Amino acid sequence: MNKKSAFRYISKKRRVKENRRFITGRGRFAADLKLSGMLHVAMVSSPFACAKIKSINVDQAIAVDGVHYVLTGAELAENISPLLSGLDLPDVKRLPLASGRARYAGEWVAAVVADTRHIAEDAAELVMVDYDMLDFVIDPEIAMKPDAPLVHPEKGDNIFFDKQWVWGDVDGDFSKAPHSLSLRARWSRCSTIPIETFAVTASWDDGREMLDIWASVQMPKYPEQIARALKLPASSVNVHFDVDVGGSYGLKRGIRQTVIVSYLTRKLRRPVRFIEDRIENMAGGEMHGPDRIFDMEVAYDDDGIMHSLKITATDDCGCYPGRAPLQLGKPVSAIVGPYRIKSAQYHARSVSTNKTSQEAVRGFGQAPTNFAIETVVDRIAKEMGIGREEIRRRNLIKSHEFPWRIPSGSEYDSGDYHTVLDKLMESANWDQLVTKRDVIRKQGKLAGIGLSTCLEPSGGNSSFEPLFNPKNNTTTWMESCLIKIDMLGGVSAMMGTSSSGQGHETLLAVSIGEVLERDPDTIRAIHADSVTALPSNSPVGSRMAIMLGGAAAGAAKKIKAQLLKIAAHNFQLPEDRLIYDGGDIFVDGDRERHLTWEQLVDIAHRQYHNMPIGTEPGLQAQHTWEVPTGGAMPADDGTVQMYPCYAFEAHVPLVSIDPDTGQVEICDYYIGHDCGTVINPDIVRGMTFGGIAHGIGAALYEKFQYDDSGQLQAGTFMDYLIPSSHEIPSVGMIKHFTPSPLTEFGQKGSGESGYLGAPAAIASAVNDALEPLGKSIETLPMRVRDIEALLNGNVETKIG
Amino acid sequence: MKAAEFDYVKAKSLDEICLFLSQQAGEARIIAGGQTLVPLMAMRMARPNTLIDINDVEELKGIEITKKSVIIKACTRQSEVLESVDVRRSLPILSDALSHVGHTQTRNRGTVGGSLVNADPSAEISLIARLLDAEMTVHSVRGERVIKAANFFSSAMITNLDADECLTQVCFPIWSSVRTGFGFHETSIRASDYALASAAAQLSLDSSGQCRSISIVIGGATEIPTRISETEEQLMGSDLSDTEIKTAMEKIPEMLEPQADVHADADYRRRVACVLVGRALKDARERAKGSLV
Amino acid sequence: MSCHKVSLTVNGAKYAENAEARMTLVDFLRDVLDLTGTHVGCEHGVCGACSVIFDGKPIRSCLIYAVMADGHDVITVEGLEEDDGSLSPLQDAFWENHAMQCGYCTPGMLIATHQLLQENPSPSESEIRDAIGGNLCRCTGYQQIVEAVQMAAKKIKDNCV
Ligand SMILES: Cc1cc2nc3c(=O)[nH]c(=O)nc-3n(C[C@@H](O)[C@H](O)[C@H](O)COP(=O)(O)OP(=O)(O)OC[C@H]3O[C@@H](n4cnc5c(N)ncnc54)[C@H](O)[C@@H]3O)c2cc1C
Ligand code: FES
Ligand code: FES
């Protein structure tokens, strides 16, 4: 499967199909849609970290000219089913609008519907909510204490999830190892906030009994969740997946927003739209990511070889447990990173606090975990006086050892980590970087080189669902593709999900083009509506290259098989005497005897008399693919095969730091990258550069800071700092291709690439810079003020 | 994030602006570049009854350069000043500072006057105005008055302008001595963010290399741009050696009472402001000596 | 409610429509003129998604009210194609270099760099980064955007020679 060396279209430079509409301003984003009679929503938000909602008076708001309705949490709660939780927590109910109690500053308590968004905002100011302030908790470690204020009093404590797994002889390995060390690493609440906020329009058609939805969404099983909440059959919810989504990176879940507008359109019989403004988006929406404290312990020997790893991850989930707690689950799939560690213990705790709920973010918890593991590896290097590259070389799994099973049960498919590292070191020229670093140091600045070697588990299996919630027995996470060849020979391919910049249309066209040997530029890729779509699990978990690519190839192969069958029938020859070439079929050894693509298509569509007896007329095929290696429930000890494919990346940045101001500048940046066979090189480059930029943001700039009164202090783009073109350097990317044996073309995922190793690498570089001063930081983001305080906290005056 | 309702008038002349302002006694606000006012209104943190648009008032636009001063009319775009070769020649510190004000797109709308009246503690233009003790000319139906920068800023985001007054121009004096040098430094988190702290210095040397006149000002770390007169006095007449600078700066930290926000605490701003003063002074010294261009 | 007549030129075409004083230019372009190519990312002047060319200079259209644009000239992303409707060298280079992913920041990026190339036909990397310094992109890490602008600059120059 993976030995194909020469692809026709795969891995070749090719313009990304979707770009044409974006460069001419013809993208179709959710906010671009205009329906006649459409009404607009603005939210009323709670200003308090925790408060009882005593009453809501909407009289003044309703009286405003142009206002149609004010929906309160209480009314909505009465009419819908609570939203799904990722965990088994019957006492914790999540509703789109708070009812009875508001649990974080910014939580939506009412929705105002008006002719324009302006009027809706005017009226939202006039909704009078009578609150009683209640005790709240912001710090997750305080939240775990027995006397802490309760976020959900019905539940009795603030612990959403608390479980420890031991894989292998952890105690034995620790007691045998001559050395061990422990450290605490902190990943602060941040995320990959897209430039487009979440937007949704819903329109109820009473005649068809159909709810049409256009949303900027990236959420598995979204239509079904909307249907369930509204108590409608899923066939009455039609999500238009052809909406272009302006970035998501895991975040745009949109269930609450969609339930609100859907309820309203059914009630008011007018299309209703809600476009979050940036404040609704950042405080009340779904923009917050992992917020983790890692307590790490590692056992290692005199050579710096790691034998066992203990991780306690305490995650501040915020208020409600959507899918966020499951972000503690994905790291189980690569709990020991790319290293040959024999045993591992993982203690995962999800704690609720009075903060905005955490949601899924690119990498689904893997980037923080990678950062924590790499911090440990760097620390061993330092303790043992071994180079950071050398320590990794000694611990990395070797290329001949694949498939490699890690203690938590996942088998890594393939890899050649040492070669990637070799290539990276050659291109980055480590020695030259060291010289450059030392020159900067001589000039009076601090400077450091970073290194990280990390994995990107890809292929989006959902085994963490049953692992974290025994009542959930989901073991498939399939993806589908339908291919239709029209009567004129045109190829159309259909996926059942929306895209948010991943280039799925190009992926479909190239994968199908490769199998059918047809020019991908002539292949149309479309996003089906949910009622016509085949099962999809949306582009999460770095899975589409593998899963949608695999489904597309599977469907294309069925088409090809049909064509061969038709040709065999017409030539009255067995199929193995035929040669398929570019869509035409030739008789082996007699190229004069052939049927062209057009002729074959014509037979299928019009000439039933020339079809093999019993064949379906027309030319179409669908394929729904289960995740390779998936399909099993976790074993009792929690071991499970989680993801099928493992991409590898190694990062080397050089940073300089102004010791007086704490400002960090990234001078150079290199990444060695191996995601198996690359389907479109431009897309993989873009994903990687973008992921690195996200990682730099997480490492240096981005944080949803809360103050002591539970107020979000970084609720706009003035305060939540997304790096600009000035902060992000040009990156030198060095590629290596170790195909996966599990996938159609040998591809692995790259949707999270860059992000999974950049934070660790930047932290490594900053700490290398601080090392001569005997200092270090293990908390992200390493903001200017943190670095400066570490360096000069006790100094009175300095002169630059 | 939509503004509350307001009325809008487009002024055609300075007289009209003054008239509108006097009629609306405190309820109306001038809009110039809108780069600060529009976001504030979008978040409903500002909600004027009426906006008086001054963008069409030609008499409030333009740059005038003489031997002694650079005069900039209030509604002149920041980008126009930044791009002016003449300004760069006559008052390079202003050009330098302007390049740190937001970015190209905000400078293409944002005005010099708007920035001054907005009185953000971190604003670069205010800093330079205070450094050179620029003169602000303001008009109202009551007449004209000139306010020195020293008296213009009263606290963070507040000036001593009366509600019916319009800033019409700012006059930055040019120091005549040939051996004059300036220094400007700021620290921000991202390149185009507001400064966490900033400092500017200008000084001139006599023929023996001693400091004959000097001005030092700190921004971002105090509510309003603050002149550091004690340090200035100590450095007058000195050779401006590194040690002299260091000694003269000793008192600065205790003079400053910086504000804390989500981006930096007071201690950070205090320490960094001092560092930047040192850097600005050294650059100014080297430029005055001709060894830094 | 204060309503005003707004007459302006957008992409060479003249429009005259009514707008409430508080309507920003970007809302006017999108909701009144149906020119939805210009995007909204923050409405408070930070992201640059709403960039348009206003009297020959790139600005943020969320930071100006539509009435203030009365009598002025605006170019949006829909106006960047060549007169014959073909892609401009810059648009083409954005496509060729995959200078986008989700495409949401792209109109703003095109506006910012279009103007850069008008004023500076051979910008250095740092000049390009400066020109887009006020335009946030969350997908690309900016690199392929920089590469696209470099390619466009070269192409334009080669065509002129
Ligand atoms: C993303 C971003 C980054 C920025 N970064 C910086 C920065 O780094 N440094 C910096 O200094 N600024 C920065 N700014 C703000 C700067 O761009 C503004 O231009 C400036 O603060 C205000 O100028 P304006 O002309 O836009 O004024 P407006 O916003 O129109 O008005 C500001 C205030 O001044 C009043 N006003 C304006 N003109 C007059 C007048 N002639 N007489 C009386 N009152 C008047 C208005 O009533 C209002 O109260 C930034 C803005 C943005 C959006
Ligand atoms: S929408 Fe205008 S700058 Fe963000
Ligand atoms: S392409 Fe998605 S934000 Fe730039």
Side-chain angles (χ1 to χ4, degrees):
Chain A
M1 241 191 276
N2 62 36
K3 48 196 182 301
K4 279 183 213 143
S5 52
F7 291 113
R8 228 179 238 246
Y9 302 117
I10 298 267
S11 300
K12 302 280 188 320
K13 159 86 194 165
R14 169 172 306 279
R15 287 189 171 202
V16 172
K17 265 182 180 303
E18 350 342 48
N19 290 357
R20 188 172 211 294
R21 58 181 183 266
F22 298 137
I23 50 177
T24 52
R26 294 193 183 92
R28 282 194 300 172
F29 295 90
D32 299 345
L33 178 85
K34 218 185 203 179
L35 299 177
S36 86
M38 183 166 75
L39 300 175
H40 303 258
V41 171
M43 297 295 174
V44 178
S45 304
S46 164
F48 303 112
C50 190
K52 187 171 173 219
I53 302 169
K54 291 197 327 204
S55 65
I56 300 184
N57 182 335
V58 303
D59 297 347
Q60 279 188 61
I62 272 286
V64 174
D65 212 17
V67 172
H68 291 257
Y69 201 68
V70 181
L71 174 65
T72 63
E75 178 186 337
L76 193 60
E78 263 175 43
N79 291 287
I80 61 161
S81 308
L83 309 182
L84 282 188
S85 161
L87 300 173
D88 178 24
L89 294 169
D91 297 324
V92 178
K93 298 226 165 14
R94 187 178 204 189
L95 292 160
L97 296 172
S99 171
R101 179 187 270 246
R103 294 182 170 84
Y104 59 91
E107 182 167 14
W108 303 329
V109 300
V112 179
V113 192
D115 284 334
T116 66
R117 168 78 196 197
H118 295 78
I119 297 172
E121 285 190 31
D122 295 344
E125 293 184 314
L126 299 173
V127 173
M128 298 300 155
V129 187
D130 192 5
Y131 293 104
D132 248 354
M133 277 169 72
L134 298 169
D135 284 349
F136 59 89
V137 62
I138 288 301
D139 181 324
E141 292 192 291
I142 295 175
M144 286 191 291
K145 296 195 171 143
D147 54 348
L150 296 178
V151 180
H152 300 274
E154 315 76 34
K155 186 179 177 313
D157 62 31
N158 291 322
I159 317 279
F160 281 159
F161 185 81
D162 186 338
K163 191 158 178 171
Q164 178 166 301
W165 292 277
V166 179
W167 297 299
D169 184 13
V170 173
D171 286 343
D173 288 337
F174 262 84
S175 67
K176 272 181 267 157
H179 310 280
S180 71
L181 63 80
S182 61
L183 60 84
R184 170 169 274 213
R186 184 87 170 80
W187 174 284
S188 298
R189 182 169 281 246
C190 67
S191 83
T192 47
I193 308 178
I195 305 301
E196 181 203 47
T197 61
F198 182 78
V200 58
T201 302
S203 179
W204 173 252
D205 179 341
D206 211 33
R208 290 187 303 142
E209 296 192 300
M210 183 70 91
L211 179 68
D212 285 290
I213 291 172
W214 295 262
S216 53
V217 74
Q218 178 201 6
M219 175 74 188
K221 308 193 166 85
Y222 170 76
E224 290 87 348
Q225 289 203 52
I226 303 305
R228 200 189 301 239
L230 294 165
K231 304 173 190 166
L232 285 172
S235 60
S236 286
V237 175
N238 196 22
V239 179
H240 297 260
F241 285 128
D242 57 352
V243 166
D244 290 315
V245 179
S248 175
Y249 332 105
L251 287 160
K252 288 195 178 146
R253 302 291 163 150
I255 302 289
R256 292 177 300 143
Q257 300 86 328
T258 309
V259 169
I260 292 169
V261 293
S262 299
Y263 175 80
L264 286 166
T265 182
R266 275 168 48 86
K267 170 135 205 145
L268 304 174
R269 304 288 148 130
R270 302 260 298 260
V272 177
R273 138 171 139 177
F274 174 50
I275 305 175
E276 290 172 344
D277 73 14
R278 197 45 84 178
I279 292 175
E280 287 162 333
N281 172 259
M282 289 177 67
E286 274 121 27
M287 291 296 121
H288 292 217
D291 186 352
R292 271 183 209 179
I293 301 166
F294 289 97
D295 290 300
M296 311 287 290
E297 233 183 302
V298 61
Y300 57 98
D301 65 21
D302 292 335
D303 297 323
I305 306 288
M306 294 181 278
H307 292 270
S308 188
L309 182 64
K310 293 184 195 171
I311 301 179
T312 297
T314 308
D315 199 25
D316 178 350
C317 183
C319 202
Y320 297 102
R323 286 183 74 75
L326 304 176
Q327 295 194 86
L328 284 161
K330 173 168 179 177
V332 170
S333 67
I335 199 68
V336 292
Y339 307 113
R340 311 164 82 252
I341 300 176
K342 292 195 296 255
S343 62
Q345 173 180 311
Y346 185 44
H347 183 188
R349 285 192 295 210
S350 177
V351 182
S352 71
T353 60
N354 293 102
K355 292 182 189 158
T356 304
S357 308
Q358 188 192 115
E359 302 293 343
V361 171
R362 198 172 206 175
F364 211 57
Q366 194 68 50
T369 310
N370 286 349
F371 155 67
I373 295 173
E374 291 304 285
T375 305
V376 165
V377 175
D378 273 11
R379 185 65 71 79
I380 299 173
K382 189 167 151 185
E383 295 292 325
M384 301 299 289
I386 303 173
R388 285 172 292 162
E389 182 193 348
E390 178 57 26
I391 195 94
R392 286 176 169 81
R393 286 191 181 282
R394 291 183 192 177
N395 282 283
L396 288 171
I397 301 160
K398 300 187 175 72
S399 61
H400 62 84
E401 293 173 324
F402 290 93
W404 174 271
R405 188 180 191 274
I406 62 167
S408 55
S410 284
E411 200 171 82
Y412 295 169
D413 56 336
S414 66
D416 190 353
Y417 307 159
H418 291 85
T419 305
V420 176
L421 202 53
D422 288 342
K423 282 178 150 181
L424 171 67
M425 288 300 164
E426 196 190 319
S427 294
N429 201 335
W430 182 274
D431 292 340
Q432 210 163 299
L433 284 180
V434 170
T435 312
K436 195 166 166 184
R437 175 192 72 184
D438 294 343
V439 169
I440 300 172
R441 286 180 176 177
K442 284 216 182 72
Q443 290 162 352
K445 284 197 170 184
L446 306 178
I449 305 171
L451 178 61
S452 70
T453 45
C454 299
L455 292 182
E456 177 179 350
S458 51
N461 189 337
S462 74
S463 319
F464 41 73
E465 289 188 351
L467 186 64
F468 272 55
N469 179 358
K471 289 201 181 142
N472 184 336
N473 59 0
T474 309
T475 54
T476 178
W477 205 240
M478 74 291 237
E479 196 58 44
S480 318
C481 178
L482 167 71
I483 299 176
K484 189 188 107 180
I485 316 294
D486 60 47
M487 217 170 73
L488 304 182
V491 183
S492 308
M494 207 165 86
M495 68 191 107
T497 182
S498 48
S499 305
S500 38
Q502 302 90 337
H504 298 143
E505 295 169 29
T506 306
L507 166 68
L508 275 188
V510 172
S511 305
I512 294 166
E514 185 66 36
V515 174
L516 292 181
E517 304 175 17
R518 307 291 293 173
D519 180 356
D521 287 351
T522 66
I523 297 175
R524 177 165 294 275
I526 58 169
H527 302 260
D529 295 347
S530 65
V531 287
T532 47
L534 299 171
S536 164
N537 279 291
S538 88
V540 295
S542 193
R543 61 193 293 279
M544 288 314 237
I546 296 169
M547 293 305 300
L548 184 59
K557 284 195 220 160
K558 289 179 185 170
I559 296 276
K560 196 169 167 181
Q562 287 178 44
L563 291 170
L564 279 164
K565 223 170 167 184
I566 295 169
H569 177 74
N570 281 277
F571 292 123
Q572 290 297 312
L573 286 171
E575 284 175 34
D576 60 12
R577 290 276 326 274
L578 304 178
I579 291 178
Y580 182 99
D581 185 0
D584 305 332
I585 295 178
F586 298 83
V587 173
D588 198 2
D590 183 3
R591 283 187 75 87
E592 290 300 301
R593 285 184 73 197
H594 68 271
L595 282 164
T596 65
W597 169 266
E598 288 73 18
Q599 288 169 325
L600 289 161
V601 171
D602 196 63
I603 293 170
H605 273 286
R606 296 201 316 106
Q607 307 166 33
Y608 200 61
H609 59 284
N610 284 328
M611 292 280 273
I613 293 167
T615 9
E616 242 179 62
L619 200 47
Q620 54 282 327
Q622 69 180 60
H623 190 68
T624 297
W625 200 35
E626 164 60 351
V627 181
T629 74
M633 287 289 283
D636 290 341
D637 64 354
T639 52
V640 62
Q641 176 76 40
M642 245 188 211
Y643 280 59
C645 305
Y646 291 80
F648 177 75
E649 58 191 51
H651 299 238
V652 172
L654 167 66
V655 307
S656 75
I657 302 176
D658 181 329
D660 297 325
T661 65
Q663 284 167 302
V664 178
E665 189 195 333
I666 302 171
C667 312
D668 291 288
Y669 204 113
Y670 297 91
I671 180 171
H673 188 255
D674 183 357
C675 64
T677 302
V678 164
I679 294 185
N680 181 301
D682 286 340
I683 291 180
V684 170
R685 280 182 90 223
M687 283 285 160
T688 307
F689 298 148
I692 290 172
H694 280 164
I696 291 171
L700 298 175
Y701 303 103
E702 300 180 34
K703 181 173 181 181
F704 286 108
Q705 176 86 39
Y706 278 82
D707 68 11
D708 294 341
S709 62
Q711 296 296 323
L712 176 61
Q713 288 183 301
T716 69
F717 278 0
M718 297 294 282
D719 298 318
Y720 186 95
L721 307 179
I722 294 173
S724 77
S725 57
H726 289 116
E727 285 71 49
I728 305 300
S730 278
V731 174
M733 184 164 172
I734 296 95
K735 296 187 200 119
H736 187 71
F737 312 100
T738 311
S740 172
L742 304 173
T743 60
E744 183 59 35
F745 307 110
Q747 74 269 40
K748 302 181 178 186
S750 73
E752 294 156 359
S753 91
Y755 188 52
L756 296 191
I762 296 290
S764 170
V766 168
N767 280 316
D768 185 42
L770 295 173
E771 216 212 306
L773 303 173
K775 313 221 173 199
S776 68
I777 314 187
E778 280 82 34
T779 296
L780 301 185
M782 299 171 168
R783 297 169 297 187
V784 287
R785 68 156 189 241
D786 304 319
I787 294 174
E788 193 275 344
L790 185 74
L791 295 172
N792 311 317
N794 48 5
V795 181
E796 271 298 301
T797 326
K798 274 191 117 186
I799 303 179
Chain B
M1 219 183 267
K2 310 286 181 195
E5 279 191 15
F6 58 84
D7 286 328
Y8 168 89
V9 289
K10 188 173 272 195
K12 298 197 182 54
S13 64
L14 178 56
D15 286 346
E16 222 177 79
I17 299 172
C18 295
L19 197 66
F20 286 141
L21 281 171
S22 79
Q23 284 166 349
Q24 302 258 345
E27 302 287 320
R29 236 159 131 176
I30 286 175
I31 184 159
Q35 302 302 290
T36 302
L37 190 52
V38 176
L40 283 176
M41 288 173 63
M43 295 181 198
R44 302 198 176 196
M45 287 152 72
R47 33 200 327 160
N49 276 354
T50 304
L51 278 190
I52 304 169
D53 182 354
I54 66 170
N55 284 285
D56 276 6
V57 180
E58 288 308 316
E59 58 198 296
L60 291 184
K61 293 180 187 172
I63 305 170
E64 222 178 279
I65 300 180
T66 67
K67 274 222 166 72
K68 287 204 182 116
S69 63
V70 171
I71 297 171
I72 300 171
K73 297 283 172 58
C75 203
T76 310
R77 309 274 172 224
Q78 293 152 6
S79 56
E80 187 185 334
V81 183
L82 178 59
E83 283 156 22
S84 159
V85 181
D86 296 330
V87 171
R88 184 166 287 282
R89 196 179 305 121
S90 309
L91 203 57
I93 189 170
L94 182 62
S95 312
D96 246 34
L98 268 167
S99 70
H100 292 265
V101 179
H103 28 73
T104 317
Q105 294 185 30
T106 65
R107 291 192 294 262
N108 281 339
R109 280 304 289 172
T111 65
V112 170
S115 174
L116 286 165
V117 179
N118 190 53
D120 190 289
S122 298
E124 289 81 0
I125 302 173
S126 308
L127 186 83
I128 304 306
R130 185 70 187 94
L131 178 80
L132 303 176
D133 211 5
E135 292 178 341
M136 269 49 98
T137 307
V138 303
H139 276 81
S140 71
V141 286
R142 295 172 289 129
E144 176 191 308
R145 64 179 177 130
V146 173
I147 314 174
K148 288 264 202 182
N151 304 319
F152 187 77
F153 305 104
S154 76
S155 63
M157 317 301 288
I158 300 177
T159 66
N160 286 319
L161 224 63
D162 286 330
D164 66 344
E165 285 178 319
C166 172
L167 175 69
T168 53
Q169 66 172 44
V170 49
C171 170
F172 295 95
I174 298 174
W175 291 13
S176 54
S177 156
V178 258
R179 305 192 65 193
T180 296
F182 73 89
F184 170 81
H185 280 269
E186 75 167 48
T187 294
S188 57
I189 300 181
R190 293 173 303 180
S192 58
D193 284 326
Y194 276 102
L196 298 173
S198 57
Q202 182 153 294
L203 52 84
S204 57
L205 306 177
D206 62 18
S207 49
S208 64
Q210 285 179 338
C211 177
R212 214 185 58 183
S213 48
I214 182 165
S215 178
I216 310 168
V217 58
I218 285 176
T222 49
E223 287 216 349
I224 57 173
T226 305
R227 280 282 286 266
I228 314 294
S229 356
E230 276 189 39
T231 308
E232 291 174 2
E233 278 158 30
Q234 278 194 51
L235 289 175
M236 276 293 257
S238 80
D239 292 334
L240 296 166
S241 69
D242 285 2
T243 345
E244 280 166 321
I245 290 178
K246 189 167 180 169
T247 319
M249 284 178 57
E250 268 163 10
K251 290 256 167 53
I252 300 181
E254 61 202 59
M255 285 177 50
L256 303 179
E257 277 180 38
Q259 67 283 12
D261 63 18
V262 61
H263 301 303
D265 54 26
D267 289 340
Y268 177 88
R269 290 194 156 91
R270 186 180 297 117
R271 283 192 296 265
V272 170
C274 291
V275 166
L276 298 179
V277 168
R279 291 182 185 175
L281 274 170
K282 287 180 190 170
D283 279 0
R285 176 187 68 198
E286 298 310 309
R287 284 205 173 92
K289 286 184 184 163
S291 45
L292 179 69
V293 274
Chain C
M1 190 168 86
S2 108
C3 206
H4 302 263
K5 186 91 181 181
V6 180
S7 308
L8 77 179
T9 309
V10 183
N11 303 328
K14 291 201 165 26
Y15 296 88
E17 299 286 346
N18 288 324
E20 215 189 326
R22 61 172 162 169
M23 180 174 265
T24 56
L25 178 59
V26 67
D27 283 349
F28 182 80
L29 291 169
R30 292 177 50 84
D31 297 341
V32 180
L33 304 188
D34 283 335
L35 293 168
T36 53
T38 305
H39 295 157
V40 175
C42 69
E43 294 184 280
H44 54 275
V46 184
C47 74
C50 65
S51 303
V52 299
I53 295 169
F54 187 81
D55 294 342
K57 299 262 183 196
I59 66 158
R60 277 128 157 56
S61 61
C62 72
L63 294 189
I64 176 170
Y65 296 112
V67 304
M68 296 171 74
D70 183 51
H72 291 267
D73 186 82
V74 176
I75 296 172
T76 68
V77 65
E78 289 96 340
L80 293 185
E81 280 156 74
E82 305 283 280
D83 292 341
D84 64 359
S86 62
L87 296 177
S88 75
L90 182 65
Q91 287 172 313
D92 196 60
F94 263 61
W95 192 3
E96 175 67 19
N97 288 277
H98 191 44
M100 73 211 75
Q101 284 167 40
C102 77
Y104 202 73
C105 71
T106 311
M109 290 291 178
L110 283 164
I111 290 288
T113 52
H114 171 85
Q115 200 54 31
L116 170 74
L117 293 182
Q118 301 277 309
E119 287 163 18
N120 179 358
S122 31
S124 64
E125 174 174 346
S126 84
E127 285 167 331
I128 297 170
R129 287 186 178 271
D130 232 29
I132 59 170
N135 291 67
L136 298 178
C137 173
R138 208 45 169 161
C139 294
T140 62
Y142 306 102
Q143 188 155 332
Q144 284 150 305
I145 299 176
V146 172
E147 289 166 2
V149 179
Q150 286 167 332
M151 176 185 276
K154 191 172 173 307
K155 233 192 226 161
I156 295 169
K157 213 170 7 170
D158 291 351
N159 286 350
C160 287
V161 185

